[in-house]
Amino acid sequence: MSPEIDTRPQVETQTLEVNLGPQHPSTHGVFRMVATLDGETVIRLKPVMGYMHRNHEKIAEGLTYIGCFPYTDRLDYFCAMTNNLALAVAIERLAGIQVSERGEYIRVIMAELTRLVNHTAVTGFLLNDMGAFGTPLLYAFREREKILDLFEAASGSRMMCNYVRPGGVREDLPAGWVERAWEIVRAYPKFLDEFETLLTKNDIILQRTQQVGKLPQPLAVSAGITGPMLRASGVNYDIRKVDGYSVYPRVQFKVPLGTVGDVYDRYLIRILEMRESLKILEQALQALPTTSPSISPKGAAMGKAPRTFRPPKGHAYGRIEAPKGELGFFLVSDGSPQPYRYRIRPPSFINLTVLEDMCLGQKVADVIVILGSIDIVLCEVDR
Amino acid sequence: MARRLVGFHVLRGMGVTLKTFCETYPWGRAVLRVLRIPSTNGLVTIEYPEVKQQHSERFRYFPFLVYDGTPDDLRCVACKICEQECPPQCIHIVMEKDAQGRPVKVHGRTLPAQFDIDMSICMSCRICVDVCPFDAIEMDNAYELSASDRFEHMLFDKQRLLKSNEYFQQIKPTEASEVDQRLAAKQKKTAAPAQAQPASAAPSSPPAAPPGAGPAAPPTGRTPGPQPTGPPRAPQSPPPGA
Amino acid sequence: MSSLDQLFVEVTRSLVSRLPPWLAPWASMLATIGAIAAAAPVIMMYLTWLERKLIARMQNRLGPNRVGLYGLLQPIADGVKMFIKEDIVPRGADRLLHLLAPIVAVAPVILLFAVLPFGRNMVGADLHVGLLYFLALGSITSYAIFMGGWASRSKFSMLGAMRTVAQIISYEVPGVLSVVAVIMVTGTLSLVGIVEAQADHWFLFTPWGFVAGAIFFMSGIAEVNRTPFDMPEAESELVGGFHTEYSGMKFALWYMAEFLEAFAICAFTTTLFLGGWQGPPIPFWILAALLALLVGTAKSLALPARGLGVLALVALGGLYARQPIPSWIWFFAKTYVLVFVLVWLRGTFPRLRIDQLMGFAWKFLLPMALVTILAAGLWSLMPFPYGTVLAVLILAASYAVLVRWNRPASLSPRTYVLAD
């Protein structure tokens, strides 16, 4: 756990309270940290959230189940596809909808592409937080744009995809899409190699990240941390493996685990996860069934007339391994077209809860890097 | 040995940026060729106002209303389904009614007197298009709509929303031909039992749509002429089933 | 001594000679001052342009290209923008110091150029203690930055200013010590004398000179707050560091001070270690011939390109044999190569943390600079092969020891489990 800090003043010194945020270049949005500093060392850190609260959960209670999908795009705007997927999984659990085979594969392809998008961008942002003049970030964005083009070709929008639907996806892939996806999947390892040459063994980055912001395994587990952050601490917990939803049990992939749980581990776990995602993508693109339509009949009807979709009374929790961690939707249905209760388990928010524990005793500069390594999106934190 | 030296990887990182630097110049690519270093990425920026990004066919921005033939022959019947289903509630529709409060019919259909979309609220989700039973509303791909006044310019009324089916075919050939086929099939079904209202059937057949051809005919609807944004990448094969 | 080499000197002399004799010394001084004062802002403006362009290219971008051809008017547009911006002084700030700080930052940096030998006979004032003058003026910036940070009455500015003072004071020490070696070998503090001492061998190509030059350049980067040592204005942590609360022309002055100082560091490194305005010690035609050979035998180029390249290089070599490249071109070429290195570093690296930065200065650069002095002494006192070999050995050994000593145990390779 956090090192014992001797805050008793040896010499008469004063602590300094600094407001990092909500308007600050690297708080990833409108996040605010009230940091108490002793010199450059952080002795207290209070996260303040809610500047981006948009009342999504309450608004959803007045919408149809389908009407909630565009709002999920705006949760974690890097990963619209996986957000849609999580809600779709929850609705499928609630109403007992079967997903078509092709639909499942398309979803997995989209989810893994989203993981690539998210992890590259986050690595770039992490480096920006360390003070690089945007070069790694722009390299990451260069590659991300190519995947976003794919998203646009399939769903019509680069970021606010609104593509996955209960029972499948909204419309089938356009012609030539799979070939373009193959091109990207084949070219991506080269980019990752170059990216790693630039970053992984760079002495400055090693100094800035190793042994910084350590998250011990017991704390990670008891705080409910999920995703790459948990795995960087060495806990083998990946919902793709644990739940085995969709077609993940049918593809071969490994779960990279860290040993120390510092910022460096979190960075490298993401790189390794991207390499595993590429393996999944190769297998899924290979196995993509060419025949059946993407949407099951019931799902299609639902898309055409959302108000006729009335799930039976009851409740369901659907979760997936989003790039940031476990993203879950808890839905309570009273038999009406609108959800009675709609609750999101946002990975960013829950991963953010250990921020103070990781930052105590570190320098101010480390706080920013640690925050960057948690990988938060404020729209998801505040909802 | 060299790999373990402090600073070796720092220099390698600098090599990556230098390579990228060289890749963006023709002389740099020549130098890289002499040194047998494969160069992959050049400049990736698009000089926006002069060059525009090629958007894919499905690219969607804000919705518009489709009309066949003349602007008064719009497909919308003011059924208000989209108004009801729009998640951010940005659509406002008033049906055209006469003095007695009965709906007015033009070309055998009711029509909206007022059809407003507040584009500053619209979130481009495409749900209105999905729910419309008449294929009357479609997604546009014109995106240069910035304006300084929200209520003057971002509240689109019916006149601004109306666009012809030819325009739809031009921006989204695949989707438009599917829609045309679907409408043609529907018209055949309604026209077969009761051969009434031949007047309304005539203008609703746009030039590119093959109304007489069978429903399984491959999409051929593609108007030549200027294509301001995203030309199609390839003709779409079978329509996704429903 | 060709006319091109002495172009600026001759022009000034001919202008001054027309004046009455009592006015001539003053006029000559004024001409120098005017030239430097006019050149400084232009250099600064185009350094910003150059930096933006170069970094953009390193990031697959184009950089500024809207204002004028290749964006060449961009700095002017920026300048106009800075002029018309509102000048905001935070409430409770010390208004006088807030105004004074950027001026105090810029003035000494412009003064620095007075002692720089830009070319043969091209120096504002050949002081006998030119080097001392440079070191003294160079450290005034820390006062200015602390004034600015303190006067702003902002916590970010204050933290940035405190970091700066710590950093500049720390890096001053290895920077000065690395110069001691040069003084020892040349026996002069005059910059003109130092350049002339490098006529047959640039100090960069001596073992001690290589290390001392690297130390001087690195401390210089740290003193002008550039990546990877740009702690005081660490944007991602301290918003803007000491200049968080500055806007408009005052902000532009800060930038001017920073960029001019960066340029000055490059220029002084050139002067002290890269032979100043001296051409390369090897005759240029040999270089040209070697390059022509390389281009001519490159198989991956098209035949016409190879032929053209060889012809161009041969022509260049021939031209140089007849008319040597003017000394000021050599000086600026070398300086801009160093500027490119600065930009390149900025385009590649994240920044270090404040404690690592201090550790680097005190635990690595300082002992290394001390060793350099020893090596320089050995090199200059002992006969040729022995001194050089001994110097190399001492430097390499101390580098290895210092690296081992400083390297934290944490920087170890990691193994990752790939679980199912």
Side-chain angles (χ1 to χ4, degrees):
Chain A
M1 211 353 270
S2 61
E4 281 302 315
I5 306 147
D6 189 5
T7 50
R8 286 167 302 169
Q10 310 294 315
V11 195
E12 195 64 37
T13 57
Q14 272 188 332
T15 56
L16 181 68
E17 208 165 82
V18 178
N19 250 316
L20 296 162
Q23 269 92 41
H24 187 275
S26 51
T27 49
H28 297 248
V30 282
F31 181 54
R32 176 171 161 216
M33 292 176 285
V34 184
T36 310
L37 306 180
D38 182 15
E40 288 259 343
T41 311
V42 178
I43 55 173
R44 225 175 5 260
L45 187 117
K46 198 176 126 223
V48 184
M49 299 163 222
Y51 291 95
M52 190 60 113
H53 183 53
R54 302 180 312 289
N55 208 4
H56 172 34
E57 290 173 2
K58 192 68 189 170
I59 289 174
E61 288 172 19
L63 296 169
T64 56
Y65 286 90
I66 300 299
C68 295
F69 276 95
Y71 283 93
T72 59
D73 291 337
R74 276 109 181 137
L75 271 182
D76 169 1
Y77 43 78
F78 278 111
C79 322
M81 289 284 189
T82 46
N83 296 343
N84 292 344
L85 177 57
L87 179 56
V89 166
I91 295 175
E92 281 152 16
R93 288 242 173 105
L94 188 67
I97 299 171
Q98 285 296 311
V99 188
S100 65
E101 182 82 359
R102 184 172 164 87
E104 288 279 30
Y105 274 100
I106 293 177
R107 285 166 167 212
V108 165
I109 290 168
M110 292 300 179
E112 296 308 316
L113 284 176
T114 306
R115 206 177 306 279
L116 291 182
V117 166
N118 182 68
H119 285 0
T120 31
V122 157
T123 312
F125 278 123
L126 177 65
L127 265 294
N128 239 27
D129 290 343
M130 275 184 227
F133 195 74
T135 309
L137 179 69
L138 281 161
Y139 288 178
F141 268 44
R142 184 185 73 205
E143 301 304 313
R144 185 183 91 122
E145 286 297 301
K146 295 175 187 165
I147 299 179
L148 291 189
D149 280 343
L150 275 185
F151 285 172
E152 187 192 273
S155 74
S157 186
R158 305 164 71 76
M159 292 177 82
M160 304 295 128
C161 301
N162 186 17
Y163 186 58
V164 182
R165 284 283 183 270
V169 291
R170 199 184 65 219
E171 48 190 332
D172 203 354
L173 300 175
W177 193 91
V178 176
E179 287 72 36
R180 289 174 67 194
W182 266 118
E183 266 171 41
I184 286 180
V185 169
R186 290 210 185 92
Y188 221 79
K190 259 187 223 135
F191 158 69
L192 282 182
D193 291 342
E194 192 189 87
F195 209 46
E196 282 209 82
T197 314
L198 183 63
L199 305 176
T200 302
K201 285 179 179 166
N202 189 318
D203 297 274
I204 299 176
I205 289 163
L206 292 180
Q207 289 222 345
R208 284 302 304 276
T209 54
Q210 291 205 343
Q211 307 297 327
V212 168
K214 277 205 268 187
L215 180 66
Q217 206 166 329
L219 176 67
V221 173
S222 57
I225 308 301
T226 46
M229 233 177 121
L230 180 69
R231 292 192 284 276
S233 294
V235 184
N236 185 2
Y237 182 76
D238 187 324
I239 296 165
R240 289 174 293 177
K241 290 278 187 195
V242 175
D243 274 13
Y245 63 96
S246 199
V247 291
Y248 283 114
R250 276 180 265 168
V251 290
Q252 300 287 317
F253 68 102
K254 302 272 188 194
V255 181
L257 297 179
T259 43
V260 185
D262 54 6
V263 174
Y264 186 73
D265 269 0
R266 274 171 236 145
Y267 151 73
L268 211 59
I269 289 292
R270 292 207 172 96
I271 298 273
L272 292 172
E273 270 190 19
M274 279 194 267
R275 294 194 187 272
E276 294 300 319
S277 283
L278 287 169
K279 280 184 206 159
I280 301 176
L281 276 170
E282 275 173 20
Q283 294 169 52
L285 284 170
Q286 201 88 57
L288 183 68
T290 45
T291 49
S292 68
S294 56
I295 311 176
S296 69
K298 196 171 177 190
M302 206 156 60
K304 269 305 200 191
R307 254 162 233 278
T308 59
F309 175 60
R310 295 158 189 266
K313 268 188 191 169
H315 55 80
Y317 178 66
R319 60 176 188 174
I320 61 155
E321 179 73 26
K324 293 184 163 59
E326 175 184 336
L327 175 65
F329 282 83
F330 179 66
L331 300 173
V332 180
S333 164
D334 57 353
S336 69
Q338 289 110 346
Y340 178 76
R341 176 81 174 95
Y342 174 101
R343 155 89 189 145
I344 307 161
R345 182 215 185 274
S348 297
F349 175 61
I350 291 167
N351 291 356
L352 194 55
T353 50
V354 286
L355 178 66
E356 184 178 8
D357 299 293
M358 290 196 287
C359 289
L360 288 187
Q362 310 274 5
K363 304 275 182 280
V364 202
D366 291 334
V367 172
I368 305 291
V369 174
I370 293 168
L371 182 71
S373 77
I374 298 177
D375 181 8
I376 57 163
V377 163
L378 260 290
C379 294
E380 190 178 70
V381 173
D382 295 340
R383 302 187 302 295
Chain B
M1 172 58 201
R3 280 162 184 276
R4 294 184 57 100
L5 262 182
V6 173
F8 173 74
H9 291 283
V10 172
L11 292 180
R12 275 187 76 187
M14 288 175 76
V16 171
T17 39
L18 186 65
K19 183 180 147 243
T20 317
F21 177 76
C22 290
E23 275 170 4
T24 57
Y25 290 104
W27 60 262
R29 283 193 287 274
V31 168
L32 288 178
R33 209 145 8 114
V34 171
L35 301 173
R36 288 159 203 281
I37 300 168
S39 63
T40 42
N41 308 287
L43 287 168
V44 292
T45 41
I46 296 169
E47 292 186 63
Y48 163 59
E50 291 96 48
V51 188
K52 290 196 178 149
Q53 187 170 17
Q54 295 281 302
H55 281 293
S56 57
E57 197 189 320
R58 285 188 186 174
F59 173 67
R60 60 172 201 259
Y61 206 57
F62 287 145
F64 68 97
L65 288 175
V66 190
Y67 66 84
D68 294 311
T70 52
D72 67 324
D73 185 19
L74 71 171
R75 292 177 186 170
C76 178
V77 298
C79 69
K80 296 196 180 189
I81 290 179
C82 54
E83 186 189 75
Q84 193 186 12
E85 293 300 339
C86 175
Q89 313 263 300
C90 68
I91 307 178
H92 175 67
I93 304 171
V94 176
M95 196 188 272
E96 181 89 63
K97 290 190 176 155
D98 57 16
Q100 283 78 43
R102 282 183 310 240
V104 176
K105 287 197 174 187
V106 178
H107 299 290
R109 290 191 297 268
T110 53
L111 78 163
Q114 218 184 333
F115 195 111
D116 298 330
I117 301 184
D118 190 343
M119 294 306 183
S120 54
I121 293 175
C122 173
M123 57 189 197
S124 313
C125 66
R126 207 181 182 276
I127 283 183
C128 49
V129 180
D130 286 345
V131 297
C132 182
F134 307 99
D135 292 303
I137 189 166
E138 293 294 346
M139 298 306 279
D140 204 345
N141 63 5
Y143 49 86
E144 288 163 321
L145 301 170
S146 62
S148 53
D149 187 282
R150 181 183 156 182
F151 295 104
E152 283 274 307
H153 297 109
M154 296 314 283
L155 186 66
F156 280 31
D157 59 3
K158 198 171 92 179
Q159 285 316 309
R160 257 191 103 175
L161 286 169
L162 275 176
K163 281 179 183 161
S164 67
N165 194 26
E166 282 78 30
Y167 174 77
F168 183 39
Q169 280 160 347
Q170 195 185 320
I171 61 167
K172 298 185 174 187
T174 317
E175 207 184 324
S177 63
E178 276 166 30
V179 167
D180 286 341
Q181 277 174 38
R182 195 155 60 228
L183 287 180
K186 209 197 261 174
Q187 211 161 53
K188 240 163 104 181
K189 235 182 350 195
T190 49
Q195 305 239 320
Q197 296 166 346
S200 72
S204 73
S205 60
T220 50
R222 191 145 309 139
T223 45
Q227 296 196 334
T229 47
R233 291 185 193 277
Q236 167 85 321
S237 49
Chain C
M1 288 251 173
S2 76
S3 55
L4 210 55
D5 186 25
Q6 294 297 305
L7 181 69
F8 297 111
V9 181
E10 296 295 339
V11 166
T12 321
R13 193 173 297 155
S14 67
L15 281 178
V16 167
S17 62
R18 285 158 208 272
L19 295 168
W22 60 270
L23 204 59
W26 296 99
S28 133
M29 261 156 84
L30 269 180
T32 318
I33 294 170
I36 290 174
V42 175
I43 287 177
M44 175 262 169
M45 284 162 105
Y46 281 93
L47 270 188
T48 62
W49 175 83
L50 192 70
E51 173 163 44
R52 290 170 67 180
K53 269 289 193 204
L54 292 179
I55 289 195
R57 290 290 179 157
M58 284 173 195
Q59 300 172 344
N60 304 88
R61 294 188 288 120
L62 274 166
N65 64 344
R66 294 280 134 180
V67 196
L69 195 65
Y70 297 111
L72 274 170
L73 298 180
Q74 182 72 43
I76 294 163
D78 287 344
V80 170
K81 187 197 84 174
M82 287 297 188
F83 262 117
I84 59 178
K85 262 179 107 165
E86 186 189 352
D87 173 41
I88 299 165
V89 182
R91 194 175 60 214
D94 189 328
R95 298 187 78 92
L96 181 66
L97 282 186
H98 193 261
L99 170 71
L100 225 59
I103 299 167
V104 174
V106 170
V109 184
I110 295 180
L111 290 179
L112 278 184
F113 289 96
V115 292
L116 255 186
F118 289 102
R120 194 176 281 122
N121 304 331
M122 278 170 67
V123 58
D126 181 16
L127 292 187
H128 291 301
V129 287
L131 198 51
L132 216 56
Y133 172 88
F134 158 66
L135 296 171
L137 278 179
S139 49
I140 290 182
T141 331
S142 62
Y143 289 98
I145 291 180
F146 197 77
M147 269 163 76
W150 185 82
S152 296
R153 197 179 169 137
S154 150
K155 285 171 184 171
F156 289 124
S157 304
M158 191 66 201
L159 273 175
M162 291 198 301
R163 283 181 177 188
T164 312
V165 174
Q167 180 179 328
I168 292 188
I169 291 175
S170 306
Y171 276 86
E172 203 101 286
V173 181
V176 173
L177 282 177
S178 64
V179 174
V180 168
V182 177
I183 304 169
M184 266 170 61
V185 172
T186 57
T188 175
L189 280 169
S190 153
L191 289 167
V192 174
I194 289 173
V195 172
E196 271 157 10
Q198 298 182 60
D200 48 347
H201 56 267
W202 300 359
F203 289 150
L204 188 75
F205 299 119
T206 59
W208 61 270
F210 181 73
V211 178
I215 295 173
F216 181 79
F217 194 54
M218 273 195 260
S219 340
I221 299 173
E223 275 183 55
V224 300
N225 314 323
R226 290 183 61 94
T227 323
F229 309 113
D230 56 345
M231 233 11 63
E233 44 195 280
E235 183 209 68
S236 59
E237 301 134 34
L238 299 182
V239 187
F242 61 86
H243 57 56
T244 307
E245 303 293 344
Y246 278 92
S247 64
M249 213 48 216
K250 290 183 194 164
F251 180 76
L253 282 182
W254 278 121
Y255 251 77
M256 187 159 155
E258 184 187 322
F259 273 90
L260 278 182
E261 212 175 352
F263 186 79
I265 289 297
C266 294
F268 276 94
T269 313
T270 305
T271 308
L272 295 176
F273 296 98
L274 284 173
W277 43 260
Q278 311 267 9
I282 347 165
F284 188 77
W285 63 268
I286 295 184
L287 272 180
L290 278 176
L291 274 175
L293 200 69
L294 187 77
V295 171
T297 53
K299 284 214 175 63
S300 44
L301 279 184
L303 204 62
R306 276 151 68 182
L308 274 178
V310 169
L311 271 182
L313 283 167
V314 166
L316 260 182
L319 197 71
Y320 182 72
R322 284 202 53 223
Q323 164 94 341
I325 295 171
S327 54
W328 42 274
I329 288 193
W330 276 118
F331 176 81
F332 281 106
K334 285 188 242 179
T335 306
Y336 275 104
V337 166
L338 287 180
V339 168
F340 178 77
V341 173
L342 267 189
V343 174
W344 187 11
L345 288 174
R346 183 157 192 206
T348 311
F349 295 129
R351 70 175 72 89
L352 284 164
R353 207 170 55 207
I354 183 78
D355 54 326
Q356 292 160 348
L357 194 81
M358 301 307 245
F360 186 64
W362 290 107
K363 294 188 204 156
F364 184 80
L365 287 186
L366 178 63
M368 209 58 206
L370 288 170
V371 173
T372 317
I373 296 174
L374 175 66
L378 289 172
W379 180 85
S380 57
L381 287 182
M382 286 170 82
F384 165 61
Y386 306 108
T388 311
V389 170
L390 206 57
V392 169
L393 282 179
I394 288 178
L395 286 168
S398 53
Y399 175 79
V401 168
L402 284 173
V403 164
R404 176 142 304 207
W405 191 26
N406 280 314
R407 199 175 171 80
S410 61
L411 299 189
S412 48
R414 302 257 175 103
T415 47
Y416 290 89
V417 189
L418 288 173
D420 280 318

